[in-house]
Amino acid sequence: MSTANPATTTGSRRMPEKRRAIARAASTVFGREGYTRASVDAIASEAGVSKRTIYNHFGDKEKLFLSVVLENAGELTEIIAGLADRHLHKIVDLEADLTAFAVDRAKAVLAAGEHYALGRTIRAEAGNIPPDVLAAWLAAGPLASQRDLADHLTRLASQDLLTLDDPDLAATHFTLLTFSGAADQSFYGAVPISDAALHTTVTTGVQAFLRLYPRP
Amino acid sequence: MSTANPATTTGSRRMPEKRRAIARAASTVFGREGYTRASVDAIASEAGVSKRTIYNHFGDKEKLFLSVVLENAGELTEIIAGLADRHLHKIVDLEADLTAFAVDRAKAVLAAGEHYALGRTIRAEAGNIPPDVLAAWLAAGPLASQRDLADHLTRLASQDLLTLDDPDLAATHFTLLTFSGAADQSFYGAVPISDAALHTTVTTGVQAFLRLYPRP
DNA sequence: GTCTATAAAGTGATAGAC
DNA sequence: GTCTATCACTTTATAGAC
């Protein structure tokens, strides 16, 4: 009955540690296996805790999933915002910078097996997720990122780097042209996409985007 | 797969009738519940046959799923080809005709709870589907439709209705701009999308497409 | 149409850290 | 002493066989 864990402070004083370990493991396993295939035992094993600990912290499997999903959406949104800021804050070459941003964003979202592969699982389970939670996930994730991108595009337009009337629509078009195709090809990360294929998809997408919203 | 017709349903000869009933039921239940949630009992019940009959015809649950998935892709491709032919064969008003086609196509693919809602399930299970089957599904489904659309666009270009260099890329852009957004909004049919929202999405998408590939 | 084996969700009693 | 993790157990559902 020894846990045989040398590194872990067996003392269970602070729960945030264990809770974070569980959340991390859950996002990994849910992202890899999907909701129904992911067993709580597997998550417990991955997290290095017992199953009961998970139930103590999260109540049941569904609540665990929903919690992790929302936390994850926020984290990924911040990562994407960081990428946008890095690539789009100061423009050197508009096409190159947009391309670099789109490639990095696609990799962040579609990176198979990573900690942010939950998007696939959420979409797969959309029909079984309470509408308010689904709305909250959309708001914290895709919609937040789209809004952030729209702000960047607005700024670029104000610098006469491109022409647009409706920033939200332009952001939507950018995502469709530079991301959705790659997401579709890779089944949202379930099947790996080669760097070459990703680059090709993004490059042609950015070119189309710039034909839609050209410099004035 | 067309054989001589057995007039009697309860005949002791071959029974494609039952097989078709099973396939139909399976596509409905798999599409509605997803792979793991769909029980073979539920499919048997929906088909009005015994579970044993299913195992006799299809071997096991996975083979049943893979069979149905491939059949379904072919059927949906034919339906979409019919829609394209109806709306795009003789153009009256290019924007209106493209819009009508895109709306009908989106409804056909995203119609929640219908017999062709399997696309969602396939995408959800992509990581667990053998790569060769996945490739076959892509070829019989999305790629075939994309190819068909590219042919239509080529013809329209030859009639000087639009300008394009790469028909396949243009077809991809059309699908991205007029379908992918709606698919994303509705989680591939899991969440219903209003007619108004669909029409708006498609209309703006067609307009963007025509700005990308304008009349010469 | 019934039966079995299995796997997984969820729970209760116990041991141990502070 | 209290609080929390752990293990063993129960229950339920389902794939597949007879």
Side-chain angles (χ1 to χ4, degrees):
Chain A
M1 46 206 63
S2 62
T3 50
N5 270 353
T8 49
T9 46
T10 46
S12 49
R13 293 184 59 242
R14 304 312 295 164
M15 47 168 121
E17 297 298 324
K18 297 260 170 164
R19 204 198 138 97
R20 277 182 55 85
I22 294 166
R24 200 178 173 77
S27 78
T28 301
V29 177
F30 279 134
R32 190 176 58 221
E33 312 274 353
Y35 180 78
T36 47
R37 285 182 146 93
S39 75
V40 179
D41 283 301
I43 295 169
S45 179
E46 174 91 16
V49 303
S50 89
K51 189 166 58 165
R52 194 65 167 92
T53 304
I54 294 181
Y55 282 96
N56 285 340
H57 274 289
F58 291 93
D60 62 15
K61 186 183 178 182
E62 186 182 341
K63 290 203 192 77
L64 169 63
F65 179 69
L66 298 178
S67 297
V68 169
V69 148
L70 288 183
E71 288 174 20
N72 230 257
E75 292 173 28
L76 186 52
T77 296
E78 284 186 26
I79 289 176
I80 294 173
L83 294 175
D85 201 59
R86 177 141 60 89
H87 289 297
L88 305 181
H89 184 61
K90 179 150 181 53
I91 297 295
V92 180
D93 174 334
L94 182 59
E95 181 173 337
D97 291 336
L98 287 173
T99 301
F101 164 66
V103 166
D104 281 359
R105 177 173 71 159
K107 283 187 179 176
V109 177
L110 303 180
E114 290 299 324
H115 294 112
Y116 299 102
L118 262 178
R120 243 193 81 245
T121 303
I122 294 158
R123 288 169 213 276
E125 292 294 327
N128 302 304
I129 294 179
D132 56 323
V133 177
L134 198 56
W137 175 78
L138 280 170
L143 290 181
S145 287
Q146 197 243 23
R147 196 57 175 268
D148 184 61
L149 178 56
D151 290 342
H152 279 279
L153 294 180
T154 299
R155 192 171 39 73
L156 298 185
S158 77
Q159 296 169 6
D160 286 329
L161 288 166
L162 42 82
T163 312
L164 53 84
D165 40 320
D166 183 339
D168 284 315
L169 182 60
T172 297
H173 284 163
F174 184 84
T175 298
L176 288 172
L177 290 168
T178 68
F179 174 77
S180 298
D184 215 53
Q185 280 177 65
S186 72
F187 295 90
Y188 261 94
V191 173
I193 183 174
S194 72
D195 271 20
L198 176 60
H199 205 271
T200 299
T201 297
V202 167
T203 299
T204 59
V206 168
Q207 287 167 354
F209 175 79
L210 290 176
R211 294 212 305 281
L212 275 178
Y213 300 96
R215 190 183 306 238
Chain B
M1 284 302 232
S2 62
T3 58
N5 54 345
T8 58
T9 53
T10 54
S12 58
R13 299 163 78 82
R14 303 219 62 72
M15 37 174 120
E17 300 297 326
K18 296 253 171 158
R19 204 199 136 97
R20 278 185 56 85
I22 294 168
R24 200 180 171 76
S27 79
T28 301
V29 177
F30 278 133
R32 189 177 60 221
E33 311 275 354
Y35 179 78
T36 47
R37 286 182 147 94
S39 75
V40 180
D41 284 300
I43 294 168
S45 178
E46 174 91 15
V49 303
S50 91
K51 196 163 53 161
R52 183 54 195 259
T53 307
I54 293 182
Y55 282 97
N56 284 341
H57 274 287
F58 292 92
D60 63 14
K61 185 183 178 181
E62 186 183 340
K63 291 203 191 75
L64 169 63
F65 178 69
L66 298 177
S67 297
V68 168
V69 149
L70 288 183
E71 288 174 19
N72 229 257
E75 292 173 27
L76 186 53
T77 295
E78 285 186 25
I79 289 174
I80 293 172
L83 294 174
D85 201 58
R86 176 140 61 90
H87 289 298
L88 304 181
H89 185 62
K90 181 150 179 51
I91 297 296
V92 179
D93 175 332
L94 182 61
E95 182 173 337
D97 291 336
L98 287 173
T99 302
F101 164 66
V103 167
D104 281 359
R105 177 174 71 157
K107 283 187 180 175
V109 177
L110 302 180
E114 290 298 324
H115 293 113
Y116 299 103
L118 262 178
R120 242 192 83 247
T121 304
I122 294 158
R123 287 169 212 276
E125 292 293 327
N128 301 305
I129 293 180
D132 57 322
V133 178
L134 198 57
W137 174 78
L138 280 169
L143 290 181
S145 286
Q146 196 243 24
R147 196 59 175 265
D148 184 63
L149 177 57
D151 290 343
H152 279 280
L153 294 180
T154 300
R155 192 170 40 73
L156 298 184
S158 77
Q159 297 169 5
D160 285 329
L161 288 166
L162 42 82
T163 312
L164 52 84
D165 39 321
D166 183 340
D168 284 314
L169 182 61
T172 297
H173 284 162
F174 184 85
T175 298
L176 288 172
L177 290 168
T178 68
F179 174 76
S180 298
D184 213 55
Q185 280 178 65
S186 71
F187 295 90
Y188 261 94
V191 172
I193 182 173
S194 72
D195 271 20
L198 176 59
H199 206 274
T200 300
T201 298
V202 168
T203 299
T204 58
V206 168
Q207 287 166 355
F209 176 78
L210 290 176
R211 293 212 306 282
L212 275 178
Y213 301 97
R215 190 182 308 237

